[in-house]
Amino acid sequence: MKNAAYVLDMPVKRTSCVVFSSPHSGRNYPEAMLNRTVLSQNVIRSSEDAFVDQLFSAATDHGAPLISATKSRAYLDLNRSAEELDPALIQGARRHGHNPRVASGLGVIPRVVANGRAIYRGKLTMDEARLRIDTCWRPYHARLKSLLAESHAAFAQAILIDCHSMPHEAVSMASTTTSQRPQIVLGDRFGASASTQIVDRIESAFASAGLIVARNAPFAGAYVTQTYGRPGRNQHAIQVEIDRSLYMDEVKIAPNGNFAAFQDVLRQVIREISGIGRDPLRLAAE
């Protein structure tokens, strides 16, 4: 299923309470945006979680849906509140207290890409900002919310895996207790967005595949995990950040020679994660 905001890949039958979401892998850059940018094609793509939707494409093989953005993160950031409007970019936007993300140019309509490089010449109108939110942000989040509700209705719980990638340099200074650089960072907002038992199982799935895993540093989760993580209601949201150097050339923004092998590794991980919370007795009764 596809519309202007997302691509939704559904399994033949939902046999998992898990929902996979890739909000930053969109690679559609509208012509009107490209006509206004001061950046080259590769630079404007530097904030994109390139190919993450492809890495998690095996979700449907294990009974779980995968929803992926179509528009680029530089165009609209689905991991931000629709109210995080940047007055430095959008005409008429008002400042509502101090928001570090907005102040740094990373609101719902980003002003900058990686390393603080400005995207546009001049400002955008409020009408343009609202159009992006109404045609992309709202449909994506409406469908994501309904997918989680469907999981909860069928399995009495829902688990959202919020799929991202991180620049290698972002983890170059991070270390685990063994002083190894993490290849995977799980964000549960320090326990606020998911139960410890579920995060333990997700960590075990990645670790069993030979990957080095850390939690909440340097990334603990943002709008998606904060909004959809409700462990007291049996709805859990976990952000997954993958070191891009494992599967892509970050300069060329292209799959590297390890892409297929890493995709195979993730198939094993996806299978393990999708099995969390399955209820064989309930499935047999359907």
Side-chain angles (χ1 to χ4, degrees):
M1 184 184 300
K2 181 177 180 179
N3 71 10
Y6 58 81
V7 174
L8 177 59
D9 295 313
M10 293 292 293
V12 174
K13 182 178 181 181
R14 296 259 308 255
T15 60
S16 172
C17 70
V18 178
V19 174
F20 292 86
S21 169
S22 179
H24 287 165
S25 58
R27 38 196 172 266
N28 182 316
Y29 292 79
E31 185 176 355
M33 175 191 184
L34 295 178
N35 288 340
R36 298 195 61 179
T37 185
V38 297
L39 302 176
S40 67
Q41 181 177 353
N42 264 28
V43 173
I44 201 172
R45 293 189 66 193
S46 60
S47 293
E48 183 183 311
D49 287 350
F51 316 115
V52 165
D53 54 340
Q54 296 177 36
L55 291 177
F56 284 90
S57 62
T60 57
D61 296 336
H62 302 288
L66 168 64
I67 183 170
S68 307
T70 56
K71 295 293 193 299
S72 71
R73 179 188 187 182
Y75 180 77
L76 177 119
D77 193 335
L78 293 162
N79 201 19
R80 299 288 183 266
S81 164
E83 304 308 314
E84 290 185 84
L85 297 171
D86 185 353
L89 175 65
I90 299 163
Q91 296 172 8
R94 296 182 179 181
R95 196 175 301 278
H96 300 284
H98 178 66
N99 184 312
R101 293 190 294 254
V102 174
S104 63
L106 297 173
V108 65
I109 312 290
R111 172 166 40 92
V112 302
V113 293
N115 297 318
R117 290 165 290 193
I119 298 172
Y120 302 99
R121 301 180 185 90
K123 288 191 172 186
L124 304 179
T125 67
M126 180 62 76
D127 285 345
E128 170 65 16
R130 290 300 181 195
L131 179 65
R132 296 186 190 189
I133 290 167
D134 290 344
T135 59
C136 297
W137 193 96
R138 296 193 192 285
Y140 190 95
H141 282 281
R143 193 64 184 98
L144 178 57
K145 184 177 180 180
S146 69
L147 287 168
L148 293 170
E150 290 162 11
S151 284
H152 206 284
F155 304 99
Q157 73 171 339
I159 301 172
L160 172 60
I161 305 298
D162 189 36
C163 307
H164 297 265
S165 66
M166 54 189 175
H168 181 66
E169 65 179 21
V171 291
S172 62
M173 300 302 293
S175 63
T176 64
T177 54
T178 58
S179 298
Q180 293 177 298
R181 294 175 182 174
Q183 297 168 309
I184 306 292
V185 176
L186 303 180
D188 64 356
R189 299 186 64 82
F190 299 94
S193 70
S195 76
T196 300
Q197 293 86 349
I198 286 175
V199 182
D200 285 347
R201 290 191 60 181
I202 293 169
E203 179 174 351
S204 177
F206 282 105
S208 296
L211 295 163
I212 302 166
V213 187
R215 293 194 195 182
N216 295 310
F219 304 107
Y223 175 80
V224 168
T225 49
Q226 182 179 10
T227 301
Y228 296 106
R230 295 289 184 268
R233 304 175 190 173
N234 287 326
Q235 181 167 294
H236 311 270
I238 302 92
Q239 179 176 279
V240 175
E241 295 275 2
I242 301 172
D243 182 348
R244 292 175 186 166
S245 68
L246 293 171
Y247 67 89
M248 68 177 277
D249 182 319
E250 293 185 72
V251 175
K252 296 179 180 178
I253 312 182
N256 63 21
N258 194 51
F259 186 89
F262 186 68
Q263 194 175 38
D264 285 341
V265 169
L266 282 189
R267 285 192 182 98
Q268 170 188 336
V269 175
I270 291 164
R271 181 177 66 249
E272 294 297 320
I273 292 175
S274 298
I276 299 173
R278 277 203 175 105
D279 184 348
L281 294 177
R282 178 160 193 166
L283 290 174
E286 289 181 349

